[in-house]
Amino acid sequence: MSEKEYFAHETAVIDQPCQIARGVKIWHFSHVMENCQIGEGCNLGQNVVISPNVKLGKNVKVQNNVSIYTGVECEDDVFLGPSMVFTNVINPRSAVNRRGDYQKTLVKRGATIGANSTVVCGHDIGEFAFIGAGAVVTKHVPAYALVVGNPSKQIGWMSEYGHRLEFNEEGIALCPESKERYQLKDNAVSKLKENKS
Ligand SMILES: CC(C)(COP(=O)(O)OP(=O)(O)OC[C@H]1O[C@@H](n2cnc3c(N)ncnc32)[C@H](O)[C@@H]1OP(=O)(O)O)[C@@H](O)C(=O)NCCC(=O)NCCS
C-alpha cells in the first residue's frame, strides 16, 4: 500500500496492517482499523469507523456517521446513507463477553441503504436492493427489492439506476432512465439482457 495512491484527511486514523486501494478518500475524523480491505474508489465520509477485518469492494460510498462492524461485508458499488446503523451481535449484554460471536451481514453489489436505517445482523441485502430512509431490516432482502418501515416491508422493486419498476401483465418493466428492461418471475426480479444486434 502506498500512501500516495489514496487520500486521507490529516484527522483520519488508519491502523496497520490494512489494504487501502487507489483512489480511496477518507474524510475528517474517520478511523480504519487493522486488517481491513478498502477497494478502489471507495469514499468514507466524516466520522466513519471501519472495524477490524471488514472488507469493502470497489466504489463503496459511506456517508457521514456510519460504523461498519466486524462481520459486515459490502460488495462493489454499495451506498450507505448518512447515520445508517449496522449491528453484529444479536443479543448484546454488557456483562457477557460475546467478542467473536458476530453474526454476518453481506450487502451485495449495488445495494443502497437509506439514511438513518438499521440492519439487524444476520440478514443479507440482495443485489441492487433499496432500503428506505429510517427502515429497520429484520429479514433477508431480495435483489432489486424496495423495503421501508419498521419492521421493514417490501413495497416494490427498484432498478439499478434507482427508479421504481412498474411491471406490466407480462411481468416486464422499463427503467425510465437507463431504458433497461426487467422481468418479474416467481417473485424475483432480473435484468433482461437485450439483443443489441
Ligand atoms: C424509499 C424511497 C426511495 C421511496 O421513494 P418513492 O418511490 O418516491 O416513494 P413515494 O414518496 O412515492 O412513497 C410511496 C409510499 O411509501 C412511503 N414511504 C416512502 N419512503 C418511505 C420511508 N423511507 N419509510 C416509510 N415509508 C416510506 C410514502 O409515505 C408513501 O406511502 P403512501 O403510499 O401510504 O402515501 C424514498 O422515500 C427514500 O426513503 N429514499 C432514501 C433517501 C435517503 O436515505 N438518501 C440517503 C442519501 S442523502
Side-chain angles (χ1 to χ4, degrees), residues 63 79-82 112-116 130-135 146-150 155 158 162-164:
Q63 301 303 100
F79 181 95
L80 303 177
T112 291
I113 304 190
N116 212 34
F130 199 108
I131 314 300
L146 167 62
V147 304
V148 299
N150 178 9
I155 60 165
M158 292 288 256
H163 296 282
R164 295 286 285 269

Side-chain angles (χ1 to χ4, degrees), residues 33-37 50-55 69-73:
M33 300 175 81
E34 69 272 12
N35 299 315
C36 287
Q37 290 178 54
I50 312 291
S51 293
N53 305 307
V54 164
K55 187 175 169 198
Y69 299 118
T70 303
V72 176
E73 178 177 343

